[in-house]
Amino acid sequence: MKSEDIAKIVGVSRSTVSRVINNYPDIPSSTREKVLNAIREYNYYPNSSARRLAGIKNSTLGIFVVDIKDNENPHHVIKNDEALLYDNTFFAPFTNAFIDQANKTHYYVLVSTIYSTSELWKIHSAFHEKRIDGGVVIGSGKEDYKKILQQMKQNFILAAVDIEIESFNENKAIYINTNNHQAAYDTAKYLIELGHRNIGIVTGDLGKLSGKKRFDGFKQALYDYKLHLNDEYIGYGDFTEPSGYVAMKKILQSHNPPTAVFVSNDTMAVGAYTAISESKLKIPDDISIIGFDNIKISGYMSPPLTTVSVSLSDVARTTAELLIQSVEKGTLTPVQKIVNASIVKRESCKSKK
Amino acid sequence: MKSEDIAKIVGVSRSTVSRVINNYPDIPSSTREKVLNAIREYNYYPNSSARRLAGIKNSTLGIFVVDIKDNENPHHVIKNDEALLYDNTFFAPFTNAFIDQANKTHYYVLVSTIYSTSELWKIHSAFHEKRIDGGVVIGSGKEDYKKILQQMKQNFILAAVDIEIESFNENKAIYINTNNHQAAYDTAKYLIELGHRNIGIVTGDLGKLSGKKRFDGFKQALYDYKLHLNDEYIGYGDFTEPSGYVAMKKILQSHNPPTAVFVSNDTMAVGAYTAISESKLKIPDDISIIGFDNIKISGYMSPPLTTVSVSLSDVARTTAELLIQSVEKGTLTPVQKIVNASIVKRESCKSKK
DNA sequence: CTGAAAGCGCTTACAG
DNA sequence: CTGAAAGCGCTTACAG
């Protein structure tokens, strides 16, 4: 069944069929109705490739979930396949919310996962082969993002979530970042206001914007409140659960361990909880913990974890909207958007007064 | 940049360029090299729509995640947007593993979410518009699946995961189901072998294959072991957390509450835990609980939940493989595949001897 | 081994 | 208001 068949059935030309499909105005409603009826009756759907070729947009957006661990420190690598993105509490909510938002506006979405630098071609091929009208990259580090930009033609409609940029003016794209600095600042401030003075941090992957900003915001708060950050109180993690465990272990070996620790994401907080319990310490009586991300597990930990909530679905919706706006317009409108986050108070922090 | 441009640069015809792209044999390696070099140098990617139109397959698979709650009992409906698929512990791992597997074989994947019967057209349109070469439906109930089949042309390559079928011979497709009956049977057997005699169940959505089979397998085990299933020990849930809470509350109101309960999925077990703790009962001392699905949270509950693990990523990989096999062959090979599951013993079950 | 040409199923100026 | 025709960028018999 092609448009010509419909045309014959109704007794008009392909042009006319095409015009009603594309909602051209000057069609008498009687003709329109006849065509529409035939389309319904014969269950006709226009071939999307032919439409694309003839110049109609694809109505497809791409999501590229990058989770490259090429240079990761060996002892952090979890070799088990299952430990890849499958249970990922960061990408899954984003992806789902993005798809929903796109679907609502009648866009399809193509999802690709990228586990190594050598798979970066997937992004370029999707764009260059014209499979998508626009796409979003999420989870990429700075270096990988640069590589992505290299082969990216200027007129491609690209969005980047949670990716650090050198200079906004140089690399045109739609940038969406959560206000990690401010949120981490608030986090430290919260602990300080609870009366804590010896405060530690488990950092995230400092190669990623979120890791760096959370660390910076945290330090800024200590500085503003004239508190010293003891080197012993810093544990370097990489956002994975085992790294949270290791980092917390290290912090607990301080001469005078901190009474509160900001853990840069909830996944690491799970590891940190284990380390703390192995040291026979109690949360929050001996040590207060505040996480970041408000992943689903966090509410079920014991004690339930106080954390920072960034609405990934808000971020996803915003991204989809901005992307679609540019696609409809046919040209990229570069923007930079900061999404706020807030503290979800549960039971892992205690007043020290 | 189109194939003609490359042809001119190299000094051959479009036909030849096309032949090297499509790996035709009889091309002298010198010509092949020249063309390949030009393609690389000028960063040329063939237009996917043009290729499709000309008869090359699309290399795209569709995932249709259906989560229709049209007829759901009002008090179970969670109106909050966030409660949709975003945190879904069932679909996310499947989707990710499926995408990975497809990507490995150089397939793209289009993901669509379907929240109501009126959105079912998305599936047909993706197929009819030739956006995908094959697709998988997951999460659909029996009735919705029937509706999907209605407009599905016989030659479409369709897979269905965890969907009950009336008659395998009638509706040709690739069916992948987990061995819910056997696993639920094992679950009950496990409790019985621990010495429990008063065993209850929180059922899942009985309109779904998994819900029904789990219930059936459970009943079969009791029957085989000559145990009576007390009506008071049955709580009807629908796989959502609140329904688990309500169902467990009901069970606990029995005259002589059971000492062990099989909860048909882990999400409901979370609700059940709450109900139990509100009744001042201890798991597993007062009551043993076994779940199903081994979602990520289950290991972090207190006590960690004993549950059944179906490897969703195995299921996803199998599905992708079967789908791709059919797509490559150009015609659907109907199959029915049962994937096994096994008990993950943790701390929520206790011997009664 | 390789080019010219037809064809895939649409859309859209162009002309009427 | 509407049809004939060109064109989108490929692939693939066909012929040589």
Side-chain angles (χ1 to χ4, degrees), chain B residues 3 14 18 24 44 51:
Chain B
S3 70
R14 280 152 55 213
S18 180
Y24 274 54
Y44 164 72
R51 300 190 82 191

Side-chain angles (χ1 to χ4, degrees), chain A residues 153, chain B residues 1-3 5-6 9 38 42-45:
Chain A
K153 292 214 283 196
Chain B
M1 177 88 355
K2 41 183 173 169
S3 70
D5 299 328
I6 296 290
I9 289 162
Y42 291 87
N43 212 247
Y44 164 72
Y45 290 81

Side-chain angles (χ1 to χ4, degrees), chain A residues 114-294:
Chain A
I114 292 168
Y115 292 121
S116 73
T117 327
S118 62
E119 291 175 352
L120 249 24
W121 61 266
K122 289 182 188 173
I123 303 180
H124 303 114
S125 112
F127 272 103
H128 279 101
E129 291 180 353
K130 303 252 156 55
R131 289 179 181 272
I132 56 179
D133 302 310
V136 54
V137 173
I138 181 170
S140 163
K142 200 164 71 178
E143 293 309 316
D144 294 315
Y145 183 64
K146 273 190 203 157
K147 283 181 198 133
I148 293 169
L149 285 178
Q150 270 165 25
Q151 307 220 26
M152 197 55 72
K153 292 214 283 196
Q154 202 62 2
N155 59 340
F156 285 160
I157 296 173
L158 178 73
V161 171
D162 193 33
I163 286 170
E164 180 167 20
I165 44 167
E166 304 284 270
S167 137
F168 175 63
N169 295 314
E170 213 172 298
N171 310 311
K172 301 279 188 214
I174 294 167
Y175 292 101
I176 292 97
N177 294 303
T178 48
N179 204 338
N180 283 298
H181 189 96
Q182 183 63 47
Y185 187 98
D186 291 347
T187 263
K189 187 178 163 201
Y190 174 64
L191 295 175
I192 293 166
E193 287 174 345
L194 282 178
H196 295 279
R197 291 297 171 264
N198 295 329
I199 304 178
I201 179 171
V202 172
T203 75
D205 180 344
L206 297 178
K208 301 209 167 155
L209 179 61
S210 52
K212 188 168 181 315
K213 293 275 182 184
R214 289 174 195 185
F215 194 20
D216 290 348
F218 173 82
K219 285 189 292 193
Q220 185 64 45
L222 293 208
Y223 181 82
D224 287 356
Y225 284 85
K226 311 210 183 325
L227 255 35
H228 174 67
L229 174 54
N230 190 331
D231 266 351
E232 289 186 322
Y233 292 179
I234 308 176
Y236 294 94
D238 64 2
F239 286 137
T240 64
E241 182 180 328
S243 81
Y245 174 84
V246 173
M248 183 56 79
K249 277 275 184 199
K250 183 249 178 190
I251 291 173
L252 294 177
Q253 274 152 23
S254 309
H255 286 80
N256 176 28
T259 60
V261 175
F262 165 51
V263 182
S264 298
N265 80 353
D266 292 355
T267 303
M268 292 194 297
V270 172
Y273 265 46
T274 309
I276 290 167
S277 111
E278 286 182 8
S279 299
K280 307 285 176 219
L281 259 31
K282 288 276 176 239
I283 307 169
D285 298 327
D286 302 317
I287 186 165
S288 290
I289 299 291
I290 183 163
F292 204 116
D293 282 350
N294 193 27

Side-chain angles (χ1 to χ4, degrees), chain A residues 3 14 18 22 24 44 51:
Chain A
S3 70
R14 280 149 59 213
S18 179
N22 293 297
Y24 275 53
Y44 164 73
R51 301 190 83 191

Side-chain angles (χ1 to χ4, degrees), chain B residues 109-353:
Chain B
V109 3
L110 212 54
V111 185
S112 297
T113 50
I114 292 169
Y115 291 121
S116 73
T117 328
S118 61
E119 291 176 352
L120 249 24
W121 62 266
K122 289 183 189 176
I123 303 179
H124 303 114
S125 111
F127 272 103
H128 280 100
E129 291 180 352
K130 302 252 156 51
R131 290 179 180 272
I132 55 178
D133 302 309
V136 54
V137 173
I138 180 171
S140 163
K142 200 164 72 179
E143 294 309 317
D144 293 316
Y145 183 64
K146 272 191 204 155
K147 283 182 200 134
I148 293 169
L149 284 178
Q150 270 164 22
Q151 306 220 26
M152 197 55 73
K153 292 213 284 198
Q154 200 64 0
N155 58 342
F156 284 160
I157 296 173
L158 179 73
V161 170
D162 193 32
I163 286 170
E164 181 166 22
I165 45 168
E166 304 284 90
S167 136
F168 175 62
N169 295 316
E170 212 171 299
N171 310 310
K172 300 281 188 213
I174 295 167
Y175 292 100
I176 292 97
N177 293 303
T178 49
N179 204 337
N180 284 298
H181 189 97
Q182 182 64 46
Y185 186 98
D186 291 346
T187 264
K189 187 178 163 204
Y190 174 64
L191 295 174
I192 294 167
E193 287 175 346
L194 282 178
H196 294 279
R197 291 297 169 266
N198 295 330
I199 304 177
I201 180 172
V202 172
T203 75
D205 179 343
L206 297 178
K208 301 210 166 155
L209 178 62
S210 51
K212 188 168 182 313
K213 291 277 180 180
R214 290 175 193 183
F215 194 19
D216 290 348
F218 172 83
K219 285 190 291 194
Q220 185 64 44
L222 292 208
Y223 181 83
D224 287 356
Y225 283 84
K226 313 210 182 327
L227 254 37
H228 175 66
L229 174 54
N230 189 331
D231 265 351
E232 287 186 323
Y233 293 179
I234 307 176
Y236 294 94
D238 64 1
F239 285 136
T240 64
E241 184 180 327
S243 80
Y245 173 85
V246 173
M248 183 55 78
K249 277 276 185 201
K250 183 247 177 192
I251 292 173
L252 294 177
Q253 274 153 23
S254 310
H255 286 79
N256 174 30
T259 60
V261 175
F262 165 50
V263 182
S264 299
N265 81 353
D266 293 355
T267 304
M268 291 193 299
V270 171
Y273 266 46
T274 308
I276 292 167
S277 112
E278 285 181 9
S279 299
K280 306 286 175 217
L281 259 32
K282 288 277 175 235
I283 307 169
D285 298 327
D286 302 318
I287 187 163
S288 290
I289 299 291
I290 184 165
F292 205 115
D293 282 349
N294 192 27
I295 65 176
K296 190 153 195 195
I297 291 174
S298 64
Y300 300 104
M301 291 165 66
S302 48
L305 182 68
T306 291
T307 184
V308 171
S309 176
V310 282
S311 172
L312 237 24
S313 27
D314 279 357
V315 172
R317 269 188 287 266
T318 304
T319 309
E321 279 163 13
L322 291 172
L323 220 36
I324 289 172
Q325 270 171 31
S326 280
V327 167
E328 304 272 296
K329 209 159 33 75
T331 157
L332 172 71
T333 308
V335 275
Q336 205 176 176
K337 188 134 191 168
I338 304 285
V339 182
N340 273 316
S342 55
I343 295 180
V344 180
K345 292 177 191 170
R346 287 201 279 246
E347 298 160 36
S348 63
C349 293
K350 193 179 165 184
S351 172
K352 236 257 159 179
K353 288 164 186 169

